[in-house]
Amino acid sequence: MGHGHGHSHALDDEPASERVRTLLMWLLVPLALATVVGAALLYPFGVEQKTGAEIGLNQTPVEAVVTGMADNCGEKCVAITVKMTDGPSPGQSITIPSVKGPGAPSFRLGDEVVLSYSGTQPQAAESYQIVDYQRGWSLAVLALLFAGAVLLLGRWQGLAALGALLLSFAVLVLFVMPSLLAGQNPLLVAVVGAGLIMFVVLYLTHGISARTSTAVLGTLVSLALIGVLGALFSALSSLTGLDDDTANLVRLLGTDIDTRGLLLAGTLIGALGVLDDVTVTQTSAVWELRRANDKLTWRELFAAGSRIGRDHMSSVVNTLVMAYAGAALPLLLAISLAGRSLGEVLTAQQIAQEIVRTLVGSIGLVAAVPVTTALAALVAVRQEVAPASAKPADPEPAEPADAEPSGTKTVKRAKPKPAKPRPTRIEGDLFTGYDPDKGPWERPAGTSSPRARRAAPARPAPPARRRSSEWP
């Protein structure tokens, strides 16, 4: 599913060249049209969706509040008294037995719970059962915190990311789920649904530009690779996709659903969000390299972008593997207690389908780096961009202060201060203060030559003054 992320992909003000726009149009327009046509063909127009009552799900949720608890119904049982706030008998209090022990839910006074009403006798306690907690307010607070964090950091782009997220859910709820429940091919539904989400999310979040279109192309190629590899290795591994939840769904619906295709559909949609991150980041990296040095060739751009993508690739692969491992953690714990060998555990149906899903999605992510980098380099070298280091033009010189007034405002410049004259070199004898402007120099009478002065003996030092004995 599409998501917002922390990378900034703001585009330049430079428009794409005519060659770039033509190339992207010929590549993307047929794919966009195929996605729209596929959605129109797969959507179950005129098919009425079966209700829960029609497929045997007659349980109706009823909200209630815990008002009392008593240990009077057995050793491992506790009697819970609840007051219903809606449903067929709002305001009525009933007592319902609940299991007590390890793994059982622990209730307290004031807890808001959800009851399951069978629809037989509204006044009888036997018609109700405690099935869950009410957690709407806590999820609403968490959603508000998430939206606030995204808006605080991303501002307008964060608002676009939130809008793209809502549209992604709309595609899943209004197109993917009805089409699957109507018995359409799950793999085709997932491919078309992923295409719709991808076009909406990327263009709404990052804008309509050559850079975003290149990321869309890379995402489409990687999704196609994931679908082909998933179908191939699901068949080679004899995976059926029939786990407990899927088997119960098929039994309730009573329709022929391709459970293996349902497994592949989950793989495609699960890898789409991380795939968007990889393709957009790689495209942005190639564009920035092109702006920094517009002399780079296609090979040089591809090599530099691939070096950047290697670090990103290792992190996103680990993210996808940990996401699937975390989702299957209870299943791993249950199988590890069965006393089976590691090979038997890894090749079991439920674990093997998670392995295929994880590895196929990871291969698609790894392939997205060179594929997107090559496409981005191919498009970037054909786009006319200004280098990032271009210096602004020098401002025009201002008119002098005494110039005639013109239509534009004259900027007055301060007159430069005259430079101080450098002092002339002093020449002459420093002892006599000779000035060459006074004529030829003559030694004053009574003075000896410098050699004689140097040869003359030093004068004796004057004798020290004696202190008077009367001086204290």
Side-chain angles (χ1 to χ4, degrees):
M1 182 184 302
H3 63 93
H5 48 77
H7 305 292
S8 177
H9 306 295
L11 301 180
D12 327 316
D13 295 332
E14 308 138 356
S17 62
E18 184 67 26
R19 291 183 300 172
V20 171
R21 289 196 299 267
T22 303
L23 175 63
L24 294 176
M25 181 184 67
W26 282 105
L27 291 175
L28 277 179
V29 169
L31 296 176
L33 290 177
T35 302
V36 174
V37 172
L41 293 177
L42 293 174
Y43 188 79
F45 291 102
V47 177
E48 295 184 3
Q49 179 61 47
K50 294 181 179 180
T51 63
E54 293 175 348
I55 61 176
L57 299 177
N58 297 322
Q59 303 297 321
T60 303
V62 176
E63 295 182 354
V65 179
V66 176
T67 58
M69 301 175 62
D71 296 332
N72 56 3
C73 61
E75 180 180 358
K76 295 184 178 181
C77 176
V78 58
I80 308 296
T81 301
V82 297
K83 182 179 181 179
M84 292 181 287
T85 57
D86 65 356
S89 300
Q92 178 183 350
S93 295
I94 57 175
T95 301
I96 303 174
S98 178
V99 178
K100 180 178 64 175
S106 177
F107 298 101
R108 295 177 298 179
L109 295 179
D111 283 349
E112 297 179 342
V113 296
V114 178
L115 309 179
S116 176
Y117 172 57
S118 61
T120 54
Q121 300 179 2
Q123 308 297 329
E126 294 79 8
S127 300
Y128 300 89
Q129 184 180 1
I130 301 178
V131 293
D132 206 350
Y133 290 93
Q134 298 182 37
R135 53 182 65 92
W137 67 271
S138 60
L139 295 179
V141 171
L142 180 59
L144 289 176
L145 289 176
F146 166 73
V150 172
L151 293 176
L152 182 62
L153 181 62
R155 299 184 182 182
W156 288 110
Q157 191 171 4
L159 181 62
L162 291 177
L165 182 62
L166 293 177
L167 290 176
S168 298
F169 276 111
V171 171
L172 289 176
V173 174
L174 300 179
F175 170 72
V176 175
M177 294 175 62
S179 300
L180 292 177
L181 292 175
Q184 299 288 357
N185 189 313
L187 183 57
L188 293 179
V189 171
V191 170
V192 173
L196 290 174
I197 292 174
M198 177 194 58
F199 279 109
V200 169
V201 168
L202 290 181
Y203 282 118
L204 181 59
T205 306
H206 305 287
I208 300 176
S209 63
R211 185 184 302 194
T212 307
S213 299
T214 306
V216 169
L217 283 174
T219 306
L220 280 173
V221 175
S222 302
L223 282 177
L225 179 62
I226 291 175
V228 171
L229 291 178
L232 176 62
F233 283 94
S234 295
L236 293 177
S237 304
S238 301
L239 296 179
T240 62
L242 278 174
D243 52 14
D244 294 338
D245 295 335
T246 307
N248 292 332
L249 176 63
V250 173
R251 179 179 55 83
L252 290 174
L253 292 177
T255 57
D256 187 13
I257 295 181
D258 183 6
T259 55
R260 181 182 295 172
L262 203 59
L263 172 64
L264 297 176
T267 304
L268 284 175
I269 296 176
L272 179 60
V274 187
L275 200 59
D276 288 348
D277 186 24
V278 173
T279 55
V280 172
T281 303
Q282 284 303 114
T283 306
S284 185
V286 172
W287 242 257
E288 293 303 321
L289 290 170
R290 167 71 171 167
R291 289 185 67 242
N293 186 358
D294 59 348
K295 304 300 182 183
L296 293 176
T297 63
W298 179 88
R299 292 181 180 273
E300 292 170 337
L301 280 176
F302 176 75
S306 298
R307 287 193 296 269
I308 297 174
R310 291 190 188 104
D311 294 334
H312 196 203
M313 176 190 65
S314 60
S315 62
V316 296
V317 167
N318 186 65
T319 299
L320 187 62
V321 172
M322 291 298 102
Y324 283 129
L329 187 58
L331 180 61
L332 293 174
L333 292 175
I335 294 181
S336 65
L337 296 176
R340 302 167 66 179
S341 64
L342 180 61
E344 293 174 341
V345 169
L346 294 179
T347 56
Q349 164 74 23
Q350 293 176 310
I351 299 297
Q353 69 182 19
E354 295 298 329
I355 292 176
V356 170
R357 181 183 301 175
T358 302
L359 296 183
V360 166
S362 300
I363 292 174
L365 291 176
V366 171
V369 173
V371 168
T372 308
T373 305
L375 290 173
L378 182 65
V379 175
V381 294
R382 288 167 171 78
Q383 183 174 9
E384 299 173 359
V385 295
S389 59
K391 296 182 179 180
D394 294 334
E396 295 182 358
E399 298 180 2
D402 54 352
E404 294 294 332
S406 59
T408 58
K409 186 176 179 180
T410 304
V411 180
K412 296 183 178 180
R413 288 187 177 181
K415 294 183 178 181
K417 297 181 179 180
K420 295 182 179 180
R422 297 181 60 183
T424 57
R425 182 178 179 183
I426 299 177
E427 297 178 355
D429 194 332
L430 298 180
F431 293 98
T432 59
Y434 167 70
D435 188 354
D437 295 337
K438 296 180 179 181
W441 176 77
E442 295 180 359
R443 184 179 301 278
T447 59
S448 59
S449 63
R451 182 178 301 177
R453 287 199 302 270
R454 287 195 297 268
R459 295 181 180 180
R465 181 181 297 181
R466 294 184 179 181
R467 293 184 178 181
S468 175
S469 60
E470 298 178 356
W471 191 263

